Amino acid sequence: MSRSLSFILSIPEGRESLSQDPSPYDENIVHDSFHQLIQEQSQWAEAGALELQEWPPRDKGGGFQSPRAPQEYSSATLRILANMPSRTIGRSRGAIISQYYNQTIKWRRKNSRPLLMDMSRSSRPSIRQYNLEMDMSPREEEEKRSLLVKELQGLAVTQRNHMLRGMPLSLAEKRCLRQDSCIQRGRERHHQDRQTQVYCCSRLKFHCIIAFRSLWYGLLSGLHALKPWRYSLKQISGQFGSSVLSYFLFLKTLVSFNILLLLLLLPFIVAMQVAFPPTSEFPVSQSFTGLELFTGGGRFTHTVMYYGYYSNFTLNQPCSSHQNSDLCSLKDVYLPYNMPLAYLFTVGISFFTTCITLVYSMSHSFGKSYQVGSTLGVHAITVFCSWDFGVTQKWAARLQHDNIRTQLKELLAEWQLKQHPRSVCGRLRQMAVLLLVWLLSLGSVLGCAMAVYSFSEFMHENHENRTQTISEKLQEARLLALPLIVCIINLLVPYLYNILASWEQHESPVLEVYVAICRNLILKMVILGLLCYHWMGRKVRSLEDKCWETFVGQELYRFMVMDFIFTLVDTLFGELVWRLIAEKLRRDRKPEFDVARNVLELIYGQTLTWLGVLFSPLLPAIQLLKLLLLFYIKKISLMANCQAPRKPWRASHMTTIFITLLCFPSFLGAAIFLSYAIWHVRPSRTCGPFRTLDTIYKASKVWIHRLEEANPSITWFTWIHQYLVENTFFIFLISTVLLSQIVLSSHL
């Protein structure tokens, strides 16, 4: 310590720069200037040694002891004291009280109350701003203290508390000043009880605000801790990176979409029909064989699960037994609930709400992902700003450590990829390989489409020409043939695409995933388009005298169940068995998680759900159960059977791409399909809430016409329906606004 002090004190004193301000990085100049300032203040006060004198301690009687004799300090001591971060260097207690007494007088002279943000930082005053005073006698100090107390009484409560908080005094001294100011103020203004009550009310209001704020922050932290799969997502992100995490985040987004659908469909359609069940017109099958869980038929046919069960009349009315609601007048109905109108508007509002939610998710994801992707100095930000110092538990610290390490791997891999561009010959060779691979991929899509079309034609003709000798169970089992063929194609063709992708040898893993997603998306959308043509074309004509809506709902249910079964089979044999075989052939060699194929399976399942909302209102509940099971199954398989990507890559835009694909090919296609079914296809004459109408959309026109006849004064409602609902220009205007929102959000 002595050597370090001697090194600090052995500073040449000949360095002076009068033309420039002393630099804060030059300790010698700062110390010399600070020492010079102390000497000037000491000469002005005519007691240079008293500035650094200690405070006189209190005696037991509450007074002050006599100050000690002045003590001379050397220049080295003054330099060391000047470098120490002391709040009261060179200042005595009396000087502090005198300073704040002068400051309170300035505040009292102002007409308006100053803002707290405009006040000077008096909690750590600098000796450059105030002149140092000599230690006063105890009598003078008490006078100054009494004057300070009187001035504090004239301030507002907020200003007084702020002033006391900023004084560099001990807590006991501050407490005494506040008590004295409050007591004397009470003695002088004891006749102003109203102001005292106002003060107490303000204190009570302050404590209530603090209590409510603490309660609100506690609730927010509790809600943050109750987020679904919070720990699981952190664990996946730390071990497998953002690429695999994007799949599970997308699955979580789909869960929220299905919950939103159920919040509208359950109370307004399903619950109302359960409360007022219709009279059974069809025989109910008493036997339950278990095959109904796969086919959706049997006892499930005439339930609230499908379109054909719902009534076509106004509920809770005296003539509800009539199938035709025109036989009842609106005047005889107590709290009518028009089931056809509720069915139509609930499905429409649910789709519109989903569209708004999708647009908001896309805009939010666009802004977030592209802002993150375009950040400069992301390596330094990840290294120095990623750690959460609020983490105290060991498991949380380990997860965060793994997460930061994986992020650094992804960033370094992306940086190395940019440092080694491909040559011209390599690019030409790669373009030729890409052309060949894309021709093979499109050819496989065309072949699969022709196979599905031919098989659907065969099943349709066989269904029309079947004999009565076939048992009912066998007839239901035959209905699983088309979903089985489609699921086999969706399972095997992506593996063919992976083999073709190995020929391309993409340097960027992100580009490889995007290409795989594009190929799988083309395959699935072409197959779904053929199925929609199969349902809306041939099935409507062949089942004109039957309930074709229920048949379409059962078909979509079968496709969804078979898709879930094949996902489990792929998880078992594609990951578990492959991992066992790979471990025997090559040590420590596990399969990687195929993000593109798994994400397209989620989009395919959600598309089936949106297609079947009109024909099976409970289909979102089945999709929600499927997604919950998929999360835990995929997570367990990921942890046990898969390894982290060999080429780490940063999925900064993956969530945006997934939501975009979910919106435009998936949701837009489902909306077009349902719009065609509502506006152009004739409903069944034997079942459903629209059995007496030419189209489903005419239910709103019939209701508007009856409402206008019952109440001629509400013609404005008819005008709104005619020009805002029926007019296609308004729909195109809303679509344009939504698309503009997406484009603008992507550029912000």
Side-chain angles (χ1 to χ4, degrees), residues 382-677:
T382 306
V383 172
F384 297 106
C385 304
S386 297
W387 186 262
D388 184 8
F389 290 93
V391 173
T392 57
Q393 299 180 357
K394 290 185 178 180
W395 61 268
R398 184 173 63 254
L399 283 179
Q400 193 170 4
H401 176 269
D402 295 339
N403 195 0
I404 295 175
R405 181 184 60 189
T406 307
Q407 290 180 14
L408 290 175
K409 287 182 180 179
E410 295 171 355
L411 291 172
L412 291 176
E414 185 178 354
W415 177 77
Q416 290 177 357
L417 183 63
K418 296 179 181 179
Q419 302 300 319
H420 302 285
R422 215 173 249 188
S423 61
V424 178
C425 296
R427 291 180 182 178
L428 293 176
R429 184 169 56 253
Q430 186 185 16
M431 289 178 62
V433 174
L434 285 175
L435 182 61
L436 177 61
V437 170
W438 271 105
L439 289 176
L440 293 176
S441 301
L442 295 178
S444 65
V445 171
L446 182 61
C448 293
M450 293 299 296
V452 171
Y453 179 79
S454 302
F455 190 78
S456 62
E457 284 284 345
F458 171 76
M459 291 298 298
H460 178 67
E461 294 176 358
N462 193 13
H463 178 74
E464 290 182 348
N465 300 328
R466 67 184 181 183
T467 61
Q468 298 296 332
T469 58
I470 302 177
S471 62
E472 185 179 354
K473 293 183 180 179
L474 185 58
Q475 291 177 7
E476 289 189 3
R478 288 165 61 91
L479 296 174
L480 295 173
L482 182 60
L484 182 65
I485 295 298
V486 172
C487 289
I488 290 176
I489 291 175
N490 290 333
L491 177 65
L492 297 180
V493 175
Y495 285 102
L496 174 63
Y497 290 160
N498 291 338
I499 296 174
L500 295 177
S502 62
W503 298 353
E504 296 173 333
Q505 296 181 354
H506 292 288
E507 293 182 355
S508 173
V510 182
L511 181 60
E512 184 177 352
V513 172
Y514 287 162
V515 171
I517 288 176
C518 184
R519 291 169 181 165
N520 286 276
L521 184 66
I522 293 174
L523 173 67
K524 294 182 184 296
M525 290 300 110
V526 169
I527 292 177
L528 283 177
L530 285 175
L531 292 175
C532 291
Y533 169 74
H534 170 70
W535 295 325
M536 289 291 101
R538 290 171 298 179
K539 286 301 178 182
V540 172
R541 292 192 298 267
S542 62
L543 300 174
E544 187 175 359
D545 297 333
K546 299 179 181 180
C547 193
W548 64 267
E549 293 92 348
T550 299
F551 176 80
V552 173
Q554 291 174 348
E555 280 278 275
L556 290 165
Y557 173 83
R558 288 190 283 268
F559 273 92
M560 185 175 295
V561 172
M562 293 302 296
D563 178 67
F564 178 67
I565 293 174
F566 272 78
T567 302
L568 296 182
V569 170
D570 178 50
T571 304
L572 177 64
F573 292 97
E575 296 178 0
L576 177 60
V577 177
W578 179 255
R579 192 255 306 178
L580 296 176
I581 296 174
E583 285 182 349
K584 292 183 178 180
L585 297 178
R586 300 178 183 178
R587 296 181 179 179
D588 299 332
R589 180 74 175 148
K590 296 181 179 180
E592 296 184 7
F593 188 81
D594 195 344
V595 178
R597 181 170 51 83
N598 286 279
V599 166
L600 262 297
E601 288 177 357
L602 294 180
I603 295 178
Y604 175 75
Q606 189 62 37
T607 307
L608 294 176
T609 304
W610 283 331
L611 290 174
V613 166
L614 180 64
F615 311 107
S616 179
L618 288 181
L619 211 58
I622 300 172
Q623 172 70 1
L624 180 62
L625 179 62
K626 172 187 168 184
L627 291 174
L628 294 177
L629 293 176
L630 270 181
F631 182 89
Y632 292 104
I633 292 172
K634 288 293 183 181
K635 185 214 169 196
I636 294 173
S637 177
L638 177 70
M639 295 296 178
N641 303 323
C642 299
Q643 66 174 2
R646 287 173 294 175
K647 295 181 180 180
W649 51 281
R650 190 164 56 103
S652 58
H653 308 309
M654 292 299 291
T655 304
T656 304
I657 298 299
F658 295 160
I659 296 179
T660 304
L661 295 177
L662 182 68
C663 181
F664 287 108
S666 177
F667 180 78
L668 184 61
I672 294 174
F673 172 77
L674 293 182
S675 300
Y676 177 78

Side-chain angles (χ1 to χ4, degrees), residues 291-363:
L291 189 61
E292 293 87 347
L293 295 175
F294 299 96
T295 62
R299 302 194 64 178
F300 294 150
T301 302
H302 306 293
T303 59
V304 292
M305 188 171 178
Y306 297 113
Y307 166 92
Y309 180 80
Y310 292 88
S311 305
N312 68 323
F313 48 80
T314 303
L315 302 181
N316 68 332
Q317 64 180 356
C319 52
S320 60
S321 60
H322 297 282
Q323 294 183 4
N324 193 353
S325 60
D326 296 335
L327 299 177
C328 299
S329 61
L330 292 178
K331 297 180 180 179
D332 299 332
V333 178
Y334 178 73
L335 292 178
Y337 194 83
N338 194 325
M339 194 63 200
L341 192 68
Y343 199 100
L344 176 62
F345 275 93
T346 303
V347 172
I349 291 174
S350 63
F351 260 73
F352 183 74
T353 307
T354 305
C355 180
I356 296 297
T357 309
L358 272 173
V359 171
Y360 174 76
S361 301
M362 287 179 60
S363 61

